[in-house]
């Protein structure tokens, strides 16, 4: 019997327990220190335990924790207004996780199809895409490993190859109501949508009376170098979902839509914790920090440094492509097993992630400094050198 046995086993976890975090650094129960380039899976926008979040949680928790979702509260109003002011969307529905926000987006699109498109209900999604782990968002995801699981799934998701406009065109039929994508496929290994593809999707959506849904759960809130990744594409989605970085470490997500698509009627959508003041107060504080003077420009600068450093490593060791945007960057490790690098890096106090066998992903705090990037690059260089020497 181990102390871990009371937890359902849903993944393989290393035998360490984290007890403290600050900025780009984590400490385990034995006092070991780790440089964190995972940050809660691209969640901790301002790093671990930033003062602004501690203060907001403390102040808001003393004022009002939960007034019930059937009533307005001030942080919910403030946060929705901040999101609307700085995006192309008109209204917001707050939820608790990315998957829940995506479920909301799928329901909203189907509702709109019922009202405006003779009951059209099918949604085109993409191979290798990831939208969450509820049954419907697993159904929408294009992850091969999900296919045999939990049958029967929610029907109506037609998965086509990413960056293939002709395949999307061919998949549209009279029952299609929307196209849903991640502007950069994160879990697939940081695969950016091409600009011409996204522009083509917008055109296809306009020509065929379809909604364009962006899942910005991983790319939003500055992660890809703009407040929202759609800005880089100069394309306006009709619906967008956010989570991860929105709460900077606390659980909150959001479904945003342009006014004409906000068609929920009373009873269609809700949830006990949705829009609770504690989480919306934190999200509003995180948004204001990301929107503060120079913050997004700094991300672009750090991104250049990280990309340049990884490209130098790639060149030194004959590795592959460095790609991504902002502080969501991948390095192809070619014939070196990326999981092995992740394991060895952890032993040396560096936390990185391998979304695929031969892909490393870097998603540090958005306020990381140049020195920490250099420390990461040096640790990674040592680990790769050891791997190269071992073969
Ligand atoms: N959509 C994208 C693009 C994601 O990266 C994720 C999580 O990794 C999700 C949805 C699901 O979010 P959550 O785990 O908060 O439900």
């Amino acid at each position: 019997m181990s102390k871990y046995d009371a937890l359902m086993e849903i993944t393989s976890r290393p035998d360490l327990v984290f007890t403290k975090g600050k900025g780009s650094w984590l400490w385990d129960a034995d006092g070991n220190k780790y440089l964190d380039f995972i940050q809660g899976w691209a969640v901790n926008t301002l790093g671990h335990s930033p003062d602004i979040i501690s203060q907001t949680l403390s102040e808001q928790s003393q004022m009002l924790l939960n007034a019930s979702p059937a009533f307005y509260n001030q942080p919910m109003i403030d946060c929705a207004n901040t999101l609307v002011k700085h995006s192309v969307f008109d209204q917001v529905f707050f939820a608790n996780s990315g998957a829940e926000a995506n479920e909301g987006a799928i329901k909203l699109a189907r509702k709109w199809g019922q009202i405006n498109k003779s009951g059209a209900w099918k949604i085109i999604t993409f191979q290798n895409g990831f939208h969450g782990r509820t049954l419907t968002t697993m159904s929408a995801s294009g992850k091969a490993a999900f296919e045999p699981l939990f049958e029967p799934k929610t029907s109506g998701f037609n998965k086509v190859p990413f960056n293939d406009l002709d395949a999307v065109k061919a998949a549209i039929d009279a029952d299609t109501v929307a196209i849903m994508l991640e502007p950069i496929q994160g879990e697939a290994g940081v695969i950016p949508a091409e600009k011409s593809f996204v522009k083509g999707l917008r055109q296809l959506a306009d020509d065929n009376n379809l909604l364009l849904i962006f899942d910005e759960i991983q790319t939003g809130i500055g992660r890809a170098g703009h407040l929202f990744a759609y800005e880089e594409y100069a394309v306006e989605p009709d619906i967008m979902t956010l989570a991860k970085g929105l709460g900077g470490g606390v659980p909150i997500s959001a479904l945003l839509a342009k006014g004409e698509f906000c068609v929920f009627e009373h009873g269609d959508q809700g949830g006990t914790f949705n829009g609770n003041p504690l989480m919306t107060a934190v999200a509003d504080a995180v948004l204001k920090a990301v929107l503060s003077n120079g913050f997004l420009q700094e991300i672009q600068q750090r991104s250049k440094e990280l990309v340049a450093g990884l490209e130098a490593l790639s060149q030194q060791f004959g590795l592959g492509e460095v790609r991504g945007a902002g502080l969501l960057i991948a390095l192809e490790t070619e014939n070196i097993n990326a999981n092995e690098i992740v394991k060895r890096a952890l032993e040396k106090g560096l936390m990185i992630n391998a979304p695929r066998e031969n892909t490393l992903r870097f998603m540090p705090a958005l306020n990381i400094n140049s020195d920490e990037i250099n420390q990461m690059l040096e640790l990674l260089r040592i680990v790769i050198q050891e791997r190269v020497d071992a073969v």
Side-chain angles (χ1 to χ4, degrees):
M1 184 79 186
S2 102
K3 64 183 172 186
Y4 308 124
D5 286 349
L7 287 161
M8 274 195 205
E9 173 103 8
I10 48 100
T11 189
S12 153
R13 293 177 166 126
D15 183 19
L16 52 91
V17 178
F18 287 115
T19 50
K20 197 175 94 174
K22 194 74 195 163
S24 289
W25 300 89
L26 268 174
W27 285 263
D28 68 20
D30 296 326
N32 300 310
K33 191 179 173 187
Y34 301 81
L35 179 53
D36 187 4
F37 270 63
I38 296 177
Q39 288 288 352
W41 234 258
V43 161
N44 303 323
T45 307
L46 307 172
H48 289 285
S49 300
D51 292 345
I52 182 71
I53 292 190
S54 318
Q55 275 161 21
T56 306
L57 281 171
S58 166
E59 282 164 23
Q60 187 59 45
S61 65
Q62 289 170 60
M63 216 134 63
L64 178 66
L65 273 179
N66 208 329
S68 123
F71 297 92
Y72 294 116
N73 64 68
Q74 195 59 45
M76 149 209 281
I77 297 167
D78 294 343
C79 189
N81 277 288
T82 306
L83 283 168
V84 164
K85 183 172 168 203
H86 294 279
S87 73
V88 296
F89 304 100
D90 300 303
Q91 289 191 320
V92 182
F93 170 77
F94 290 111
N96 309 289
S97 69
E100 193 187 357
N102 280 340
E103 286 263 351
I106 292 162
K107 282 168 67 178
L108 191 62
R110 283 192 175 190
K111 178 86 186 186
W112 182 85
Q114 244 168 31
I115 299 169
N116 296 292
K117 219 188 156 194
S118 315
W121 58 288
K122 292 185 191 161
I123 299 180
I124 296 171
T125 57
F126 292 91
Q127 290 171 7
N128 299 316
F130 182 71
H131 299 295
R133 285 176 185 277
T134 60
L135 197 48
T136 291
T137 54
M138 281 180 97
S139 309
S141 298
K143 227 176 132 131
F146 284 179
E147 260 163 44
L149 303 178
F150 313 121
E151 292 293 309
K153 295 220 184 52
T154 306
S155 53
F157 296 103
N158 196 348
K159 284 151 220 163
V160 302
F162 200 51
N163 280 325
D164 184 342
L165 204 57
D166 288 337
V168 179
K169 209 181 289 182
I172 298 170
D173 66 25
D175 288 327
T176 309
V177 72
I179 304 167
M180 178 172 182
L181 74 154
E182 300 158 81
I184 301 173
Q185 288 190 327
E187 299 310 297
V190 189
I191 315 289
E194 287 159 14
K195 281 199 176 146
S196 59
F197 178 65
V198 176
K199 283 207 187 306
L201 288 181
R202 181 67 271 175
Q203 194 60 51
L204 274 183
D206 291 345
D207 294 347
N208 293 279
N209 197 22
L210 308 176
L211 305 186
L212 186 60
I213 305 172
F214 269 30
D215 174 345
E216 292 230 25
I217 283 161
Q218 191 155 147
T219 54
I221 319 296
R223 176 59 55 187
H226 297 272
L227 187 58
F228 307 114
Y230 72 75
E231 296 169 39
E232 174 69 17
Y233 290 92
V235 158
E236 294 188 6
D238 303 308
I239 295 174
M240 177 176 76
T241 51
L242 299 170
K244 289 189 183 281
L246 177 61
V250 306
I252 181 168
S253 64
L255 161 64
L256 297 89
K258 293 203 172 182
E260 63 187 293
F261 307 116
C262 296
V263 290
F264 281 142
E265 292 173 277
H266 293 185
D268 285 349
Q269 186 65 325
T272 306
F273 293 115
N274 297 1
N276 75 80
L278 194 64
M279 298 306 139
T280 46
V282 172
D284 201 38
V286 170
L287 275 166
K288 285 179 175 145
V290 173
L291 287 162
S292 68
N293 237 348
F295 191 94
L296 288 163
Q297 287 89 323
E298 284 292 316
I299 296 173
Q300 306 266 15
Q301 197 47 45
R302 294 296 88 71
S303 176
K304 282 188 192 139
E305 294 163 14
L306 177 59
V307 167
L310 291 174
E311 279 173 347
L313 282 180
S314 177
Q315 200 158 23
Q316 182 182 351
F317 294 106
L319 307 179
E321 186 185 30
V322 176
R323 60 170 180 269
L327 289 170
L328 180 61
I329 301 292
L331 165 67
E332 284 299 317
T333 58
E334 303 293 322
N335 55 358
I336 304 180
N337 186 304
N339 290 312
E340 199 56 33
I341 296 180
V342 165
K343 211 169 120 202
R344 303 288 165 184
L346 188 65
E347 288 164 10
K348 294 201 183 318
L350 171 63
M351 292 171 63
I352 48 178
N353 159 255
R356 308 221 126 185
E357 279 272 287
N358 300 92
T359 310
L360 291 174
R361 178 172 47 174
F362 305 86
M363 35 194 176
L366 299 186
N367 56 1
I368 191 162
N369 62 42
S370 307
D371 180 50
E372 289 161 340
I373 288 177
N374 289 334
Q375 289 186 56
M376 187 285 289
L377 290 166
E378 179 53 16
L379 281 168
L380 185 60
R381 193 191 61 72
I382 293 168
V383 172
I384 297 175
Q385 183 69 63
E386 283 178 5
R387 289 289 83 211
V388 168
D389 292 346
V391 281

